[in-house]
């Protein structure tokens, strides 16, 4: 594992968590948006991430059958829209109320649960802090190694 591999891996995690935070903030901001440019209510967005390939380091104490290597960080695969149905609220005076059919008079609101979004936001914040701590610890370890060499 190279000198900066740890920092690069943690930095990719920080980038991912920052994007997750932005997407969650967008979801919260649009929790009451009943009309979008595409038509219909706003749909919740979710960040889909995957491990970067190209691991070259293998653990010493893990059997080779179970060890995929340390990895080289994470990457964003896509930002996916959740197309599940939103909550329906009866309000026939609302401009976006359904005009005809069995759901006439109902307004479809986004499929966003504010409590779930806040929990996800806290999770993203803690993961960002953890990756930041890894970078700080690596930096301190490198500085100590330089001091030993003096």
């Amino acid at each position: 594992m190279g000198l900066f591999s740890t920092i690069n891996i943690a930095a990719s995690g920080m980038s991912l968590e920052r994007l997750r935070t932005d997407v969650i903030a967008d979801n919260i901001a649009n929790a009451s948006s009943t009309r979008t440019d595409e038509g219909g209510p706003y749909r919740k967005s979710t960040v889909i991430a995957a491990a970067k390939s190209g691991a070259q380091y293998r653990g010493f104490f893990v059997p080779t059958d179970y060890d995929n290597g340390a990895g080289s960080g994470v990457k964003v695969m896509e930002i996916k829209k959740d197309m599940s149905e939103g909550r329906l609220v009866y309000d026939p005076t609302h401009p976006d109320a359904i005009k005809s059919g069995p759901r006439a008079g109902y307004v479809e609101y986004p499929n966003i649960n504010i409590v779930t979004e806040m929990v996800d936001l806290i999770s993203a914040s803690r993961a960002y802090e953890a990756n930041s701590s890894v970078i700080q610890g690596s930096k301190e370890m490198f500085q100590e190694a330089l001091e030993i060499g003096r």
Side-chain angles (χ1 to χ4, degrees):
M1 224 168 167
L3 184 65
F4 295 106
S5 297
T6 307
I7 293 174
N8 289 337
I9 291 168
S12 73
M14 289 177 74
S15 296
L16 171 71
E17 298 307 331
R18 173 143 188 264
L19 178 63
R20 275 187 61 210
T21 302
D22 291 344
V23 168
I24 293 167
D26 193 39
N27 288 341
I28 292 171
N30 288 295
S32 298
S33 299
T34 59
R35 187 182 306 170
T36 61
D37 293 338
E38 297 85 30
Y42 180 83
R43 299 291 180 196
K44 176 182 175 172
S45 297
T46 306
V47 176
I48 308 296
K52 286 183 184 176
S53 60
Q56 297 175 348
Y57 176 78
R58 293 202 128 356
F60 295 112
F61 303 109
V62 179
T64 55
D65 295 345
Y66 298 107
D67 186 16
N68 297 2
S72 45
V74 293
K75 63 182 175 181
V76 175
M77 297 300 290
E78 67 177 311
I79 298 176
K80 188 175 182 179
K81 292 283 187 182
D82 181 359
M83 299 309 289
S84 63
E85 188 173 306
R87 61 188 167 89
L88 294 174
V89 175
Y90 186 74
D91 184 4
T93 61
H94 193 284
D96 293 328
I98 300 169
K99 304 295 181 211
S100 62
R103 299 191 300 177
Y106 283 91
V107 178
E108 185 179 0
Y109 281 89
N111 54 354
I112 296 171
N113 182 341
I114 297 295
V115 175
T116 304
E117 295 300 311
M118 292 303 294
V119 169
D120 289 345
L121 188 60
I122 292 169
S123 170
S125 175
R126 296 288 187 248
Y128 187 91
E129 289 174 10
N131 281 305
S132 176
S133 296
V134 167
I135 290 174
Q136 184 63 31
S138 295
K139 189 173 109 178
E140 290 171 3
M141 188 171 45
F142 297 150
Q143 287 175 343
E144 289 297 319
L146 289 173
E147 290 296 320
I148 291 172
R150 284 188 185 188

